[in-house]
Coordinates of all heavy atoms in Angstrom, one line a residue:
E194 N 29.1 173.9 68.8 CA 28.7 175.1 69.4 C 28.3 176.1 68.3 O 27.3 176.9 68.4 CB 29.7 175.7 70.3 CG 29.9 174.8 71.6 CD 28.6 174.7 72.4 OE1 27.9 175.7 72.6 OE2 28.3 173.6 72.8
L195 N 29.2 176.2 67.3 CA 28.9 177.2 66.2 C 27.7 176.8 65.5 O 26.9 177.6 65.1 CB 30.1 177.2 65.3 CG 30.2 178.3 64.2 CD1 30.0 179.7 64.9 CD2 31.4 178.2 63.4
S196 N 27.5 175.5 65.3 CA 26.3 175.0 64.6 C 25.1 175.3 65.4 O 24.0 175.7 64.8 CB 26.4 173.4 64.4 OG 25.3 172.9 63.8
K197 N 25.2 175.2 66.7 CA 24.0 175.6 67.6 C 23.7 177.1 67.4 O 22.5 177.4 67.3 CB 24.4 175.3 69.1 CG 24.3 173.8 69.4 CD 24.5 173.7 70.9 CE 24.4 172.2 71.4 NZ 24.7 172.1 72.8
A198 N 24.7 177.9 67.3 CA 24.5 179.3 67.1 C 23.8 179.6 65.8 O 22.8 180.4 65.8 CB 25.8 180.1 67.2
Y199 N 24.3 178.9 64.8 CA 23.6 179.1 63.5 C 22.2 178.6 63.5 O 21.3 179.2 62.9 CB 24.4 178.4 62.4 CG 25.7 179.1 61.9 CD1 26.9 178.4 61.9 CD2 25.6 180.4 61.5 CE1 28.0 179.0 61.5 CE2 26.8 181.0 61.1 CZ 28.0 180.3 61.1 OH 29.1 181.0 60.7
T200 N 22.0 177.5 64.2 CA 20.7 176.9 64.3 C 19.7 177.8 65.0 O 18.6 178.1 64.6 CB 20.7 175.5 65.0 OG1 21.5 174.6 64.2 CG2 19.3 174.9 65.2
N201 N 20.2 178.4 66.2 CA 19.4 179.3 67.0 C 19.0 180.6 66.2 O 17.9 181.1 66.2 CB 20.1 179.6 68.2 CG 20.2 178.5 69.2 OD1 19.4 177.5 69.1 ND2 21.2 178.5 70.1
K202 N 20.0 181.0 65.4 CA 19.8 182.2 64.6 C 18.8 181.9 63.5 O 17.9 182.7 63.2 CB 21.2 182.6 63.9 CG 21.1 183.9 63.1 CD 22.5 184.3 62.6 CE 22.4 185.5 61.7 NZ 21.8 185.3 60.5
E203 N 18.9 180.7 62.9 CA 18.0 180.4 61.8 C 16.6 180.3 62.4 O 15.6 180.8 61.8 CB 18.4 179.1 61.2 CG 17.4 178.5 60.1 CD 17.5 179.3 58.8 OE1 18.3 180.2 58.7 OE2 16.7 179.0 58.0
I204 N 16.4 179.6 63.5 CA 15.1 179.5 64.2 C 14.5 180.9 64.5 O 13.3 181.1 64.2 CB 15.2 178.7 65.4 CG1 15.5 177.2 65.1 CG2 13.9 178.7 66.2 CD1 15.8 176.3 66.3
A205 N 15.4 181.8 65.0 CA 14.9 183.1 65.3 C 14.4 183.9 64.1 O 13.4 184.5 64.1 CB 16.0 183.9 66.0
E206 N 15.2 183.8 63.0 CA 14.8 184.4 61.7 C 13.5 183.8 61.2 O 12.6 184.6 60.6 CB 15.9 184.3 60.7 CG 17.1 185.2 61.1 CD 18.2 185.0 60.0 OE1 18.1 184.2 59.1 OE2 19.2 185.8 60.1
D207 N 13.4 182.5 61.3 CA 12.2 181.9 60.8 C 10.9 182.3 61.6 O 9.9 182.5 61.0 CB 12.3 180.4 60.8 CG 13.3 179.8 59.8 OD1 13.7 180.6 58.9 OD2 13.8 178.7 60.0
V208 N 11.1 182.4 62.9 CA 10.0 182.8 63.7 C 9.5 184.2 63.3 O 8.3 184.5 63.2 CB 10.4 182.8 65.2 CG1 9.3 183.4 66.1 CG2 10.6 181.3 65.7
E209 N 10.5 185.1 63.1 CA 10.2 186.5 62.7 C 9.4 186.5 61.4 O 8.4 187.2 61.2 CB 11.5 187.3 62.6 CG 11.2 188.7 62.2 CD 12.5 189.5 62.0 OE1 13.6 188.9 62.3 OE2 12.4 190.7 61.6
A210 N 9.9 185.7 60.4 CA 9.3 185.6 59.1 C 7.9 185.0 59.1 O 7.0 185.5 58.5 CB 10.2 184.9 58.1
F211 N 7.8 184.0 60.0 CA 6.5 183.3 60.1 C 5.4 184.3 60.7 O 4.3 184.2 60.3 CB 6.6 182.1 61.0 CG 7.0 180.9 60.2 CD1 8.2 180.2 60.6 CD2 6.3 180.4 59.2 CE1 8.5 179.0 59.9 CE2 6.6 179.2 58.5 CZ 7.8 178.6 58.9
T212 N 5.9 185.2 61.5 CA 4.9 186.1 62.1 C 4.3 187.0 61.1 O 3.2 187.4 61.2 CB 5.7 186.9 63.2 OG1 6.2 186.0 64.2 CG2 4.7 187.9 63.9
K213 N 5.2 187.4 60.1 CA 4.7 188.4 59.1 C 3.6 187.7 58.2 O 2.7 188.4 57.7 CB 5.9 188.8 58.2 CG 6.9 189.6 59.0 CD 8.1 189.9 58.0 CE 9.2 190.7 58.8 NZ 10.4 191.0 57.9
L214 N 3.7 186.5 57.9 CA 2.8 185.8 57.0 C 2.1 184.6 57.8 O 2.0 183.5 57.2 CB 3.5 185.3 55.8 CG 4.1 186.4 54.9 CD1 4.9 185.8 53.8 CD2 3.0 187.3 54.3
K215 N 1.6 184.9 59.0 CA 1.1 183.8 59.8 C 0.0 183.0 59.2 O 0.0 181.8 59.3 CB 0.7 184.4 61.1 CG 0.2 183.4 62.2 CD -0.1 184.1 63.5 CE -0.6 183.1 64.5 NZ -0.9 183.7 65.8
E216 N -1.0 183.7 58.6 CA -2.1 183.0 58.0 C -1.7 182.0 57.0 O -2.3 180.9 56.9 CB -3.1 184.0 57.5 CG -3.8 184.9 58.5 CD -4.9 185.8 57.9 OE1 -5.0 185.7 56.7 OE2 -5.5 186.5 58.7
S217 N -0.7 182.4 56.1 CA -0.4 181.6 55.0 C 0.5 180.4 55.4 O 0.5 179.3 54.8 CB 0.4 182.4 53.9 OG -0.5 183.4 53.5
V218 N 1.4 180.6 56.4 CA 2.4 179.6 56.7 C 2.2 178.9 58.1 O 3.1 178.2 58.5 CB 3.8 180.2 56.6 CG1 4.0 180.7 55.2 CG2 4.0 181.3 57.6
E219 N 1.2 179.2 58.7 CA 1.0 178.7 60.1 C 1.1 177.1 60.2 O 1.7 176.6 61.1 CB -0.4 179.1 60.6 CG -0.6 178.8 62.1 CD -1.9 179.5 62.6 OE1 -2.9 179.4 61.9 OE2 -1.8 180.1 63.7
K220 N 0.6 176.4 59.2 CA 0.6 175.0 59.2 C 2.0 174.4 59.0 O 2.3 173.2 59.2 CB -0.4 174.4 58.2 CG -0.1 174.8 56.8 CD -1.1 174.2 55.9 CE -0.9 174.5 54.4 NZ -1.9 173.9 53.5
Y221 N 2.9 175.3 58.4 CA 4.3 174.8 58.1 C 5.3 175.1 59.2 O 6.4 174.6 59.2 CB 4.8 175.4 56.8 CG 3.9 175.1 55.6 CD1 3.2 176.1 55.0 CD2 3.9 173.8 55.1 CE1 2.4 175.8 53.9 CE2 3.2 173.6 54.0 CZ 2.4 174.5 53.4 OH 1.6 174.2 52.3

């Protein structure tokens, strides 16, 4: 459960970061 929480948090942070540099990292 804790691992899921960390995973969900990581995914959320990545989504936010990808939005800032969408053109450069969209394919990744």
